Amino acid sequence: MPLGVYVQLLASGLSTGSIYALVGLGLMLAFKGTGVLNFAQGELVTLGAYTALFLSLTTSLPYWAIFILTILVAGVVGIVFERLLVRPLMRAPEFTVVVATLAVGLMIKDALRIAWQESVSSIPSPFADVSVRFGDISINAQYLWVTFCALAIMGMLALFFNNNLAGKAMRAVAQNQTAARLMGIRVNRVFSATFALSSAIAALAGILIAPIHGIEPEMGNVLMKGFVAAVLGGFNSLVGCVIAAFMLGVIETFGGAFFGGLFKDVTAFALLILVLLVRPNGLFGSAEARRV
Amino acid sequence: MLEVSHLTAGYARTDVLFDISVRIDAGGFVGVLGSNGAGKTTLLRSISGLTRVSGGAVLFDGKSVNGLAAEAIVDFGLIHVPQGRMLFPDLTIEENLQLGSYRSGARSVYSANLKRVEHYFPILSQRKTQRAGVLSGGEQQMLAIGRALMAEPRLLILDEPSLGLAPRIIDDIFDVLTHINAEGVTILVAEQNAMKVLEHARFVYVLENGRISHSGPSEELARSEAIQKSYLGLA
Ligand SMILES: Nc1ncnc2c1ncn2[C@@H]1O[C@H](COP(=O)(O)OP(=O)(O)OP(=O)(O)O)[C@@H](O)[C@H]1O
Ligand SMILES: [Mg+2]
């Protein structure tokens, strides 16, 4: 194969990985902040995509306005999700919460299936039909845009958690709620903010993936890949999650190109098992908790 | 400054504190002495809002703080250093101190308070960028007190700061508390270490099985036979 094809596969793989990274980051964020493994995270991606689709069908707003509005709506969805589901179950056993989020995820998925009879649809993106040329290699601009967004979110989160008092307060709540309260930190507000952020990141993934893979009720199944990336990355490190997600996306894409589409998922999970056999704490995790 | 009157408090089904009355005037250094399970932690948690009070009142500056959330009580300048220190182990020493000054009333005096903490505990400034989790027990207690000082306390309540520490470190810590008190911070310290409390506090309450069994100025209690027998190991 010519070099150009490899580069295009790489770009496509990185953009796929970027989506996994965003899903993984959202999962990790909610888990670290509140101890809840949110199995509805995938459906938050779906909801984000449908919100954008709804806005693009019912209004004549430009891409950027839809982009920002969708993320704001997703933030509110996250807050409602936390209030109605997570907070009342905060004192329940962990499995109860996990099952509850799983159930809500399934409900969202089926509700969308019932409400939205059209098959796959998409939202227009100004990047989707543009190619960026490097010499005689051309790459779809949407791939670059998706990858850029994932890296930007990672950078913003790292800055937020390491250099901002509110971000540090979030980490403090994750480590010792009682002590955080004794510092005057409003734990409930931090929980709301955590889910708002997590849901906003999920919606971003939804908007970004829509022009590439289309919008349909099943798109939330990307949850598993995000989960794999987060675990591979050690479930504690933002950078680890993103690198693992990139690896996953790239290996999958090349695997799919060389051995056929069915090979994709096999690679992801084989990689997970292999890595965890050798490094039980993930590629970038260590036995003791690490800083982000 | 703090007035606890006829307080009854406890956990889900059982009360563990009965009819407790404790009073601390501004500038005071008061001790609560009690052995394991006497109810010291429960008393401090009731004052700082972590444990629900079932009867009686807790007044801070004459205002009732009963029923207020712990995170709201902090805003009055009532700062609690809990038993077991409860640091944020994965945050650095510096970040732990920054979170100490999280409450709105403390942010504007961050640098002055940081200077004060580094003055009392120079070891903390040398190890600023290390995780709190790697500190030794004594250093952790220093950080816990330092973090509380960052909150610009008016009343500092401490739960067994001597727990698990070497005698020399305990001396250092009580010396610092005495200095802080001389700077104008009112102090309430709960301890099993009778010697230290009687030496540094000016007034002491003795807690037994959830009730105040004795109280009085330290010199007076130190001479009492009952106290000598049960708490100082003197026959
Ligand atoms: N969370 C809880 N739930 C139920 N009972 C509790 C709880 N915490 C403490 N108790 C009970 O309350 C009583 C007083 O405990 P408390 O922790 O206040 O004692 P303490 O004087 O601080 O003891 P120590 O010196 O061991 O810290 C004990 O009988 C204890 O078993
Ligand atoms: Mg105790």
Side-chain angles (χ1 to χ4, degrees):
Chain A
M1 275 197 283
L3 177 67
V5 177
Y6 284 100
V7 177
Q8 275 161 356
L9 280 176
L10 183 68
S12 154
L14 284 177
S15 72
T16 306
S18 297
I19 299 297
Y20 300 165
L22 290 172
V23 176
L25 289 175
L27 270 178
M28 249 170 58
L29 204 66
F31 182 74
K32 283 213 55 161
T34 65
V36 173
L37 193 53
N38 179 14
F39 271 86
Q41 188 74 11
E43 275 63 45
L44 293 179
V45 174
T46 318
L47 271 185
Y50 275 95
T51 306
L53 178 59
F54 178 77
L55 287 173
S56 81
L57 292 178
T58 54
T59 67
S60 54
L61 292 170
Y63 180 74
W64 295 109
I66 290 176
F67 190 91
I68 290 164
L69 259 178
T70 302
I71 286 173
L72 292 178
V73 169
V76 176
V77 168
I79 291 171
V80 172
F81 185 86
E82 193 270 337
R83 277 286 157 86
L84 295 187
L85 189 76
V86 179
R87 199 176 299 178
L89 290 176
M90 216 56 216
R91 285 175 205 289
E94 276 164 41
F95 276 124
T96 308
V97 188
V98 168
V99 168
T101 61
L102 187 65
V104 167
L106 291 173
M107 278 165 56
I108 295 176
K109 191 188 292 189
D110 284 335
L112 284 171
R113 224 183 253 135
I114 296 164
W116 213 280
Q117 296 293 346
E118 290 103 305
S119 53
V120 180
S121 23
S122 187
I123 46 171
S125 156
F127 300 105
D129 304 320
V130 180
S131 295
V132 180
R133 300 195 62 87
F134 300 97
D136 46 3
I137 300 164
S138 79
I139 296 172
N140 186 314
Q142 182 72 14
Y143 289 157
L144 299 178
W145 169 232
V146 173
T147 309
F148 167 80
C149 283
L151 289 173
I153 290 290
M154 179 192 81
M156 276 156 52
L157 286 177
L159 274 176
F160 176 64
F161 285 119
N162 288 315
N163 296 311
N164 180 288
L165 192 61
K168 290 174 190 176
M170 245 183 212
R171 289 164 64 207
V173 168
Q175 287 172 42
N176 191 326
Q177 278 183 34
T178 304
R181 294 179 62 198
L182 290 178
M183 306 293 109
I185 297 168
R186 268 64 179 171
V187 172
N188 281 341
R189 276 189 225 165
V190 171
F191 280 7
S192 291
T194 305
F195 271 90
L197 196 58
S198 176
S199 170
I201 294 174
L204 175 66
I207 306 170
L208 292 174
I209 198 177
I212 302 175
H213 291 290
I215 298 174
E216 37 115 15
E218 299 289 332
M219 65 194 292
N221 296 347
V222 70
L223 168 82
M224 279 324 284
K225 299 294 179 58
F227 189 44
V228 169
V231 171
L232 278 176
F235 225 89
N236 220 326
S237 136
L238 300 174
V239 180
C241 171
V242 173
I243 295 178
F246 279 171
M247 285 171 50
L248 197 59
V250 170
I251 292 176
E252 243 186 54
T253 306
F254 277 89
F258 290 126
F259 307 110
L262 288 176
F263 188 75
K264 272 190 168 183
D265 288 349
V266 180
T267 348
F269 297 111
L271 181 70
L272 173 74
I273 292 166
L274 255 172
V275 168
L276 294 185
L277 281 176
V278 185
R279 290 187 58 93
N281 292 310
L283 284 174
F284 308 95
S286 55
E288 55 164 357
R290 285 167 60 116
R291 294 191 57 197
V292 278
Chain B
M1 172 169 264
L2 180 77
E3 187 154 2
V4 176
S5 52
H6 306 294
L7 175 82
T8 303
Y11 303 92
R13 264 174 230 112
T14 46
D15 281 338
V16 302
L17 294 180
F18 310 94
D19 196 30
I20 302 274
S21 294
V22 167
R23 183 193 154 90
I24 310 169
D25 293 324
F29 193 144
V30 170
V32 173
L33 191 56
S35 46
N36 284 120
K40 303 180 294 296
T41 299
T42 310
L43 174 59
L44 297 201
R45 288 176 61 100
S46 310
I47 293 173
S48 67
L50 288 175
T51 295
R52 196 101 66 90
V53 168
S54 53
V58 180
L59 303 180
F60 188 65
D61 282 340
K63 278 178 297 220
S64 170
V65 295
N66 281 26
L68 288 184
E71 49 271 47
I73 290 176
V74 169
D75 285 332
F76 294 112
L78 196 170
I79 309 299
H80 182 175
V81 181
Q83 182 168 343
R85 294 136 203 166
M86 294 198 189
L87 297 172
F88 304 115
D90 289 337
L91 300 189
T92 64
I93 291 171
E94 192 175 24
E95 288 169 332
N96 270 274
L97 293 175
Q98 286 167 354
L99 286 165
S101 63
Y102 183 88
R103 78 175 186 96
S104 52
R107 289 191 200 180
S108 57
V109 280
Y110 176 79
S111 349
N113 278 331
L114 188 62
K115 276 220 185 76
R116 170 159 79 149
V117 170
E118 292 183 339
H119 165 72
Y120 285 128
F121 306 114
I123 183 92
L124 297 181
S125 62
Q126 289 156 27
R127 306 182 60 177
K128 262 199 263 216
T129 55
Q130 293 182 21
R131 291 194 321 117
V134 306
L135 294 177
S136 73
E139 290 159 351
Q140 291 198 12
Q141 188 62 59
M142 292 177 198
L143 179 54
I145 297 174
R147 186 178 63 175
L149 285 179
M150 296 302 295
E152 184 74 7
R154 294 179 53 231
L155 171 63
L156 187 61
I157 66 179
L158 304 104
D159 197 346
E160 295 205 51
S162 77
L163 197 68
L165 304 184
R168 196 178 49 79
I169 310 276
I170 297 179
D171 289 347
D172 288 352
I173 283 183
F174 271 86
D175 285 343
V176 168
L177 291 182
T178 301
H179 274 110
I180 295 169
N181 179 238
E183 280 181 24
V185 178
T186 312
I187 292 186
L188 172 66
V189 57
E191 267 295 347
Q192 292 194 44
N193 188 329
M195 206 82 112
K196 275 292 158 194
V197 170
L198 291 170
E199 180 188 337
H200 289 265
R202 289 192 286 281
F203 196 94
V204 173
Y205 293 87
V206 180
L207 199 56
E208 280 175 9
N209 297 321
R211 297 175 197 276
I212 304 281
S213 62
H214 306 268
S215 67
S218 313
E219 316 82 57
E220 221 168 85
L221 280 186
R223 284 196 301 269
S224 131
E225 237 174 77
I227 302 297
Q228 292 196 347
K229 216 162 144 187
S230 358
Y231 294 96
L232 294 171
L234 306 172

